[in-house]
């Protein structure tokens, strides 16, 4: 256990929000950093602030979300080291952090996966770097509009292969990294329990919704133009196509680190979809079963 409050940056994000809840459940004092404290809606007792420097006073560990910290990333890590009380940094990186940036679309939405990991390593503090594969929620981000409009997802490279990890599983591993020292000094690759082609992922969503969905492969150039027309940065669109093309060359790697660390298998993608039907259709979210 830690000797002081835990600082969670990006506290209202897909990983940060369940991380805060899990830490509260573990009886830990949490300081949540978010740009919009008034609308955070976090558990009772959580200290919510928009100031990382304020949150660091007396803190014992920091969860680092590079997108949330943006240009302040390096300074926050310096401030954490200089605070004197902080002993551990847990960085949210990515499985493809070492790849060419031209195949990292999230970089063009603010992620600095390589940098946050390296800054944590160089800080002189104990560190853990989490390297998740594509988030399960990414499929909703990319496909929900198409699936609300019809039964076809169109995109490039139907055989592109990924092993999507449920966002809350990343949070659960982060708890272990924050509260204990047994993971210190590790770059931990995190995946779901199974690899799917994107066509197979769409079929899984269809099974959950009770709909005959299909994936229609189209010219990558058309997909790129569609993304830009929808407001995506050209650099993001180019990197997205490049990532998909690379993923079409071989099955995605599946790791067992989630199971090793949590003592239970990683949450299946199908279970996550079943629990989040409302992201893909007008069906209500399930409330009478465990939510991943």
């Amino acid at each position: 256990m830690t000797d002081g409050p835990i600082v969670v940056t990006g506290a209202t994000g897909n990983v940060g929000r369940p991380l805060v809840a899990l830490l509260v459940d573990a009886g830990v004092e949490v300081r949540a950093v978010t740009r919009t404290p008034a609308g955070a809606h976090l558990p009772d007792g959580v200290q919510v602030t928009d100031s990382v420097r304020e949150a660091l006073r007396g803190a014992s560990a920091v969860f680092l979300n590079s997108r949330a910290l943006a240009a302040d990333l390096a300074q926050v890590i310096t401030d954490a080291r200089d605070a004197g009380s902080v002993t551990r940094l847990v960085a949210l990186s990515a499985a493809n952090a070492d790849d060419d940036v031209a195949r990292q679309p999230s970089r063009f939405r603010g992620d600095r996966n390589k940098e946050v990991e390296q800054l944590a390593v160089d800080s002189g503090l104990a560190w853990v770097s989490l390297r998740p594969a594509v988030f399960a929620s990414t499929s909703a981000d990319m496909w929900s509009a198409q699936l609300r409009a019809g039964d076809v997802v169109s995109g490039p490279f139907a055989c592109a292969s990924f092993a999507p990890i449920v966002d809350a599983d990343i949070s659960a591993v982060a708890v272990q990294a924050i509260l204990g020292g047994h993971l210190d000094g590790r770059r931990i690759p995190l995946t779901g329990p199974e690899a799917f082609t994107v066509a197979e992922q769409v079929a899984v969503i269809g099974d959950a919704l009770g709909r005959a969905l299909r994936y229609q492969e189209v010219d990558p150039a058309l997909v790129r133009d569609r993304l830009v027309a929808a407001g995506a940065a050209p650099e993001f669109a180019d990197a997205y196509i490049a990532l998909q093309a690379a993923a079409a060359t071989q099955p995605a790697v599946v790791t067992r680190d989630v199971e090793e660390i949590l003592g239970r298998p990683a949450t299946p993608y199908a279970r996550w979809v079943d629990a989040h039907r409302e992201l893909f259709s007008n069906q209500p979210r399930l409330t009478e079963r465990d939510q991943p």
Side-chain angles (χ1 to χ4, degrees), residues 79-233:
D79 290 345
R81 182 192 63 214
D82 294 346
S85 58
V86 175
T87 60
R88 179 172 294 114
L89 303 175
V90 176
L92 179 60
S93 183
N96 63 349
D98 295 326
D99 291 354
D100 189 324
V101 296
R103 297 196 303 275
Q104 296 188 46
S106 69
R107 188 172 186 85
F108 300 101
R109 290 186 168 174
D111 289 348
R112 292 294 180 268
N113 298 315
K114 184 66 174 179
E115 291 89 336
V116 69
E117 178 181 283
Q118 194 59 53
L119 286 165
V121 171
D122 293 341
S123 69
L125 302 173
W127 61 272
V128 182
S129 180
L130 307 182
R131 288 187 158 205
V134 63
F135 292 12
S137 60
T138 299
S139 57
D141 295 339
M142 297 303 297
W143 299 336
S144 63
Q146 293 187 67
L147 290 177
R148 288 177 185 276
D151 292 335
V152 177
V153 169
S154 62
F157 310 109
C159 61
S161 178
F162 300 96
I165 180 168
V166 169
D167 307 29
D169 278 358
I170 304 169
S171 308
V173 172
V175 170
Q176 296 300 311
I178 290 167
L179 297 185
H182 59 298
L183 301 179
D184 287 352
R186 287 181 58 180
R187 296 173 174 86
I188 306 175
L190 302 173
T191 75
E194 187 176 359
F196 301 94
T197 66
V198 290
E200 290 168 340
Q201 276 187 261
V202 170
V204 170
I205 297 170
D207 288 343
L209 300 181
R211 292 163 56 187
L213 305 182
R214 64 185 178 89
Y215 188 92
Q216 180 179 19
E217 185 172 307
V218 299
D219 186 339
L222 294 178
V223 177
R224 189 259 186 204
D225 291 345
R226 185 175 67 195
L227 288 169
V228 173

